[in-house]
Amino acid sequence: MKRLFSFILCFVMLFLLTSCGIFEQMQHSEEEELIKDEPFDNICNLIGHEWNNGEVTKVPTVHEHGIITYTCRVCSEIKEEIFNTEFINRLTYLVDAQATNEVVIIDGIKYYYGQNLVNDLTDAISNSLDGAVILVKEGEYELTEYINHNVTIKGAGAAATIIKLAKDVQTLSGAEKVAFEGVTLYGNGGGADDPGAYFNLSPDSATEISFKDCIVKAMNTFIKVNNGSQKITIEGCEFYNMGQFTVWTLKGTPEITVKDSYLDAIECGLVNNATASMFRIRSGSATFTGCTFKGTLPATSGGLFEAGTAICTGITVDKCIFVNATKVVKLNSVPAALTFVENYFVDAEGNYLTDVPEYITGAGVTPGVALVKFNEAN
C-alpha cells in the first residue's frame, strides 16, 4: 500500500513539473511572438522613448498657452507639452534666417520658434529683455529699429553673419551697455558716399559700447559722438570703404579705445572732403594700440588722425603699423596732443623705416620712435 501511494505521489509531482515547463514555454513563446510582431513598441516599453527636440505646433499668445509636440525617434509615438511665454528664456535669443518650427537646444537652453527663436534680428532685439544675449546664425539680416536696452549681439563670425544697418537710426538711447561681436556691419543707406552716421550718439546713449571681431564697411560715418561720456571699445575689427569718418567726436568726454584692428586706407576717404579724417577726435580722447593702417588715403581726404579743439584731451598711437601710409596727420586750427609713441613704418616695397617719416609732424604732434622688425636672416 505504501509503495502504491509513493508511486502515485511521484506521478503527480512529475505531472506538475511537466505542466509548468509547458506553461513557461508557452508564455515565452507568446512574449517572443509579441516582440516579433511589435518590436519598437516593446523596446520603448522596456527602455523608454527617445524623444526628439520637439516642434512648436501652437505658438503661445498672451491669451492662450502654446503646445510643443514631441515624436519618439524609435516608435514614432507622440506626446504634447504645454508651455507659456513666461517660461521662455528671454535673456537668450537665437536668430536664424533658416529657422523652422523645430525647437533648438544649445547649451541646455531651449529656443522656441516664434518666441526666442526667430528669423528676424529686429524682432529679437525688440522682444528681448534687458541684458539679453542674441546669437545670430549665418546669413544676412537687417537692423532697422533702434536699440534701447542692454544687449549683446553675437554672430557666427564676421564673414558669416552680415547685419545691414539703417543709417541715422541707432542712437542707443535708454541702454547702458551694447556689444557687437563676430558680425559684419554693413551700411544699408547708400554706402560711403551718402552722408549720415550709423551710430549717432548723445548724452542719453549707452555709456559702454563695444565692437569685437567685426567687419565694418560701406558707411560714410560709422560712429558720431555729438555729446556724452561714452566708453567705446573697438577690438579686432576691420574697416573697408569708409567715406569720411570712422569715429567723429564733437562734444563731451568720450573715451575711444581701438586695438588690434585694421583699416584699409586705400578703400577709405573717398568722399571729396579735404577736412575729413578717419578718426576725427575733437572731444575726449582716443588710444590706438596694435593696429594696422594700410595704404594712403586719396588726395580728397585729410588724414587718418585729427586731434583738435580745447575739449580734446589727445590721441595716443602706440605699437601700430603704417604700411605705405603717407597721409597720417590732419592738423586742426586748435591742435590737441597727437602722440606717436613706438610704431612701425613700412614703405611701398615692404621695407621697415628706421626713422619716423617726416610727414608725422605739426603743431601738437609728438613723432615718437620708429620700430624695426628684423627677420631671422638679419
Side-chain angles (χ1 to χ4, degrees):
M1 188 69 178
K2 289 183 179 180
R3 289 181 180 178
L4 179 61
F5 178 77
S6 298
F7 176 77
I8 294 172
L9 180 63
C10 290
F11 179 79
V12 171
M13 291 180 65
L14 180 61
F15 175 79
L16 291 174
L17 289 173
T18 304
S19 299
C20 289
I22 293 173
F23 177 76
E24 286 181 3
Q25 288 181 5
M26 291 175 61
Q27 186 177 35
H28 287 310
S29 177
E30 289 179 0
E31 289 179 353
E32 289 173 359
E33 191 65 27
L34 183 63
I35 293 175
K36 182 178 179 181
D37 290 343
E38 299 178 322
F40 295 125
D41 289 347
N42 282 275
I43 290 173
C44 290
N45 289 335
L46 291 172
I47 65 174
H49 293 285
E50 184 181 339
W51 303 108
N52 64 3
N53 289 342
E55 292 185 351
V56 178
T57 51
K58 180 182 177 183
V59 176
T61 67
V62 293
H63 303 293
E64 294 183 306
H65 60 69
I67 296 177
I68 304 173
T69 301
Y70 298 89
T71 303
C72 178
R73 295 188 175 95
V74 178
C75 69
S76 299
E77 184 171 328
I78 63 173
K79 71 172 183 177
E80 292 184 340
E81 177 183 290
I82 293 175
F83 76 107
N84 298 309
T85 53
E86 58 263 30
F87 298 130
I88 295 173
N89 187 334
R90 296 289 184 180
L91 287 176
T92 308
Y93 262 76
L94 180 62
V95 184
D96 184 357
Q98 307 300 321
T100 64
N101 62 341
E102 184 174 352
V103 178
V104 177
I105 302 175
I106 299 177
D107 296 332
I109 298 175
K110 286 187 176 182
Y111 298 91
Y112 302 98
Y113 182 72
Q115 298 299 309
N116 60 347
L117 168 59
V118 295
N119 47 32
D120 186 278
L121 177 59
T122 298
D123 284 349
I125 292 174
S126 299
N127 293 310
S128 61
L129 294 179
D130 188 61
V133 175
I134 298 177
L135 307 177
V136 189
K137 297 192 73 174
E138 179 179 351
E140 290 190 5
Y141 306 86
E142 290 191 3
L143 182 54
T144 56
E145 299 293 328
Y146 68 90
I147 299 170
N148 61 3
H149 59 279
N150 301 333
V151 67
T152 298
I153 299 173
K154 289 186 176 182
T161 302
I162 300 171
I163 299 176
K164 294 183 177 181
L165 289 174
K167 69 173 182 175
D168 297 323
V169 170
Q170 290 304 330
T171 62
L172 305 183
S173 297
E176 293 182 3
K177 297 181 180 180
V178 176
F180 290 85
E181 182 177 339
V183 301
T184 286
L185 297 172
Y186 185 90
N188 203 24
D193 296 336
D194 193 15
Y198 286 82
F199 289 90
N200 217 336
L201 308 180
S202 67
D204 296 330
S205 301
T207 54
E208 293 185 30
I209 307 165
S210 65
F211 304 89
K212 184 177 181 181
D213 299 331
C214 295
I215 294 175
V216 182
K217 62 194 308 183
M219 299 182 186
N220 184 282
T221 301
F222 178 41
I223 299 173
K224 182 180 180 181
V225 181
N226 299 286
N227 203 341
S229 56
Q230 297 85 3
K231 292 184 178 179
I232 301 172
T233 302
I234 299 171
E235 180 180 359
C237 295
E238 300 176 15
F239 295 90
Y240 303 93
N241 195 219
M242 304 300 296
Q244 297 186 87
F245 311 103
T246 303
V247 178
W248 176 9
T249 65
L250 284 82
K251 295 181 180 180
T253 56
E255 297 178 19
I256 314 298
T257 300
V258 184
K259 52 187 177 181
D260 302 327
S261 294
Y262 172 86
L263 185 138
D264 190 339
I266 299 173
E267 291 191 3
C268 296
L270 301 178
V271 175
N272 187 1
N273 183 2
T275 65
S277 52
M278 287 295 96
F279 297 93
R280 177 189 268 183
I281 308 301
R282 293 186 172 181
S283 68
S285 64
T287 302
F288 298 83
T289 308
C291 298
T292 298
F293 303 91
K294 183 178 180 180
T296 296
L297 294 167
T300 56
S301 184
L304 291 175
F305 306 107
E306 176 191 339
T309 79
I311 57 175
C312 172
T313 56
I315 297 176
T316 301
V317 183
D318 190 26
K319 304 299 185 300
C320 292
I321 302 175
F322 296 86
V323 181
N324 192 31
T326 59
K327 298 184 70 175
V328 178
V329 176
K330 168 68 177 69
L331 294 176
N332 188 284
S333 58
V334 183
L338 176 50
T339 304
F340 294 84
V341 185
E342 295 180 332
N343 296 282
Y344 301 93
F345 299 93
V346 183
D347 64 19
E349 286 73 39
N351 302 308
Y352 283 85
L353 306 181
T354 56
D355 297 314
V356 176
E358 59 182 14
Y359 48 79
I360 308 293
T361 187
V365 177
T366 301
V369 176
L371 298 175
V372 178
K373 285 186 177 180
F374 293 97
N375 59 31
E376 294 180 1
N378 292 329

